[in-house]
């Protein structure tokens, strides 16, 4: 495999070995695993909390962050330098230092990508607000003295207990809608009556005007006959 010297550029990776080797780094021994530092999950624990629960004190948010960090750490451990070198054995045999440099930059780019993705998912899911809110609801439920609801053992009674308030609310809502519909219908009926009254008034005016025109026409005919 032919390796070009000078600046090499890839997708998000830039390597500038001198003569194909980097003098500032020593070649890793055979079977060495690359040092992988798990990236920050990008979770902002200083905002989006409940009214009484700071995000930094949220148990669920800390557990979520720890789970993400552990998952990312396990993921990056599988991307060891040993496996990377096995995939690119021809290049590793010729330039081990260059291969190790490329591996480090790839891991760095992978860490950055994971951090951005986790931050975006956390922002879209509103985890910084939802998880502290769950902690707050849990504490509020523990402070309540009233007994929590428990089923009575009779499905019919339990179903009626939950459905009756909802059905009553729907009944009140439908009654309100019916009242408004009746008021609108009454207003429309009144408008129709007023319109009919205006039409009848216009008909009377028309009839009076026609009668006057007819009288004028008769007078004109009589006047012409008298002249002849």
């Amino acid at each position: 495999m032919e390796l070009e010297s000078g600046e090499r550029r890839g997708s998000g990776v830039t390597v500038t070995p001198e003569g194909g080797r980097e003098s500032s780094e020593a070649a890793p021994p055979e079977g060495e695993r690359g040092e992988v530092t798990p990236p920050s999950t990008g979770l902002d624990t200083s905002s989006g909390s409940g009214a009484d629960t700071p995000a930094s004190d949220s148990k669920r948010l800390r557990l979520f962050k720890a789970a993400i960090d552990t998952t990312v750490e396990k993921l990056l451990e599988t991307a060891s330098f040993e496996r990377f070198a096995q995939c690119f054995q021809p290049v590793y045999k010729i330039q081990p230092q260059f291969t190790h440099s490329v591996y480090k930059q790839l891991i760095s780019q992978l860490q950055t990508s994971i951090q951005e993705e986790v931050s975006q998912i956390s922002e879209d899911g509103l985890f910084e607000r939802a998880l502290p809110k769950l902690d707050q609801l849990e504490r509020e439920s523990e402070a309540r003295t009233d007994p929590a609801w428990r089923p009575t053992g009779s499905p019919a009674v339990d179903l009626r207990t939950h459905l009756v308030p909802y059905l009553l609310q729907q009944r009140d809502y439908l009654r309100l809608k019916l009242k408004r519909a009746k008021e609108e219908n009454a207003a429309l009926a009144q408008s129709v009556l007023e319109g009919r009254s205006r039409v009848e008034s216009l008909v009377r005016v028309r009839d009076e005007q026609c009668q006057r025109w007819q009288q004028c026409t008769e007078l004109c005919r009589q006047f012409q006959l008298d002249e002849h």
Side-chain angles (χ1 to χ4, degrees):
M1 179 183 296
E2 181 181 356
L3 299 174
E4 298 179 358
S5 61
E7 183 177 2
R8 301 171 183 270
R9 296 183 180 273
S11 59
V13 179
T14 304
V15 182
T16 59
E18 297 179 0
R21 295 181 179 273
E22 293 183 354
S23 58
S24 60
E25 295 183 359
E30 186 67 24
E32 176 189 357
R33 293 182 177 271
E35 296 180 358
V36 178
T37 303
S40 172
T41 56
L43 296 177
D44 183 9
T45 59
S46 62
S47 62
S49 60
D52 300 329
T53 306
S56 58
D57 297 336
S58 173
K59 177 179 65 177
R60 286 178 172 81
L61 189 59
R62 291 198 304 270
L63 290 176
F64 174 74
K65 185 176 182 297
I68 291 296
D69 290 339
T70 303
T71 302
V72 172
E73 182 179 0
K74 297 292 185 182
L75 174 63
L76 294 180
E77 284 179 357
T78 61
S80 63
F81 177 75
E82 181 180 2
R83 293 186 178 183
F84 182 80
Q86 289 176 356
C87 295
F88 299 96
Q89 286 184 1
V91 180
Y92 178 69
K93 290 179 180 179
I94 298 174
Q95 293 184 341
Q97 294 177 346
F98 171 73
T99 306
H100 187 258
S101 177
V102 171
Y103 166 76
K104 290 177 63 178
Q105 295 188 46
L106 285 174
I107 289 298
S108 177
Q109 184 67 26
L110 179 61
Q111 290 176 344
T112 303
S113 299
I114 292 175
Q115 179 180 355
E116 293 176 354
E117 289 294 332
V118 171
S119 299
Q120 185 64 37
I121 293 173
S122 177
E123 181 180 353
D124 295 341
L126 301 176
F127 293 150
E128 291 87 350
R129 297 183 181 179
L131 296 178
K133 185 64 175 179
L134 287 176
D135 293 338
Q136 180 183 355
L137 293 176
E138 181 180 4
R139 287 196 305 273
E140 291 177 354
S141 63
E142 293 175 352
R144 291 177 181 174
T145 57
D146 297 337
W149 178 86
R150 292 293 183 272
T152 61
S154 175
V157 174
D158 295 337
L159 185 62
R160 183 169 60 251
T161 302
H162 287 282
L163 284 181
V164 166
Y166 171 76
L167 294 177
L168 291 176
Q169 182 181 4
Q170 292 297 314
R171 184 190 65 179
D172 295 338
Y173 173 75
L174 292 176
R175 285 179 175 176
L176 179 61
K177 294 288 290 184
L178 179 61
K179 179 181 178 181
R180 291 179 178 177
K182 288 182 177 180
E183 292 176 353
E184 291 178 358
N185 291 337
L188 291 174
Q190 183 65 28
S191 299
V192 170
L193 293 176
E194 293 177 356
R196 287 179 180 177
S197 299
R198 288 195 297 270
V199 170
E200 292 175 356
S201 176
L202 291 174
V203 169
R204 288 194 298 270
V205 171
R206 183 203 62 183
D207 293 341
E208 292 176 358
Q209 294 292 338
C210 288
Q211 185 177 3
R212 291 178 182 178
W213 278 106
Q214 289 176 358
Q215 292 177 357
C216 291
T217 303
E218 291 296 333
L219 291 175
C220 290
R221 286 179 182 177
Q222 292 178 4
F223 182 74
Q224 290 177 355
L225 292 175
D226 293 341
E227 287 182 351
H228 293 294

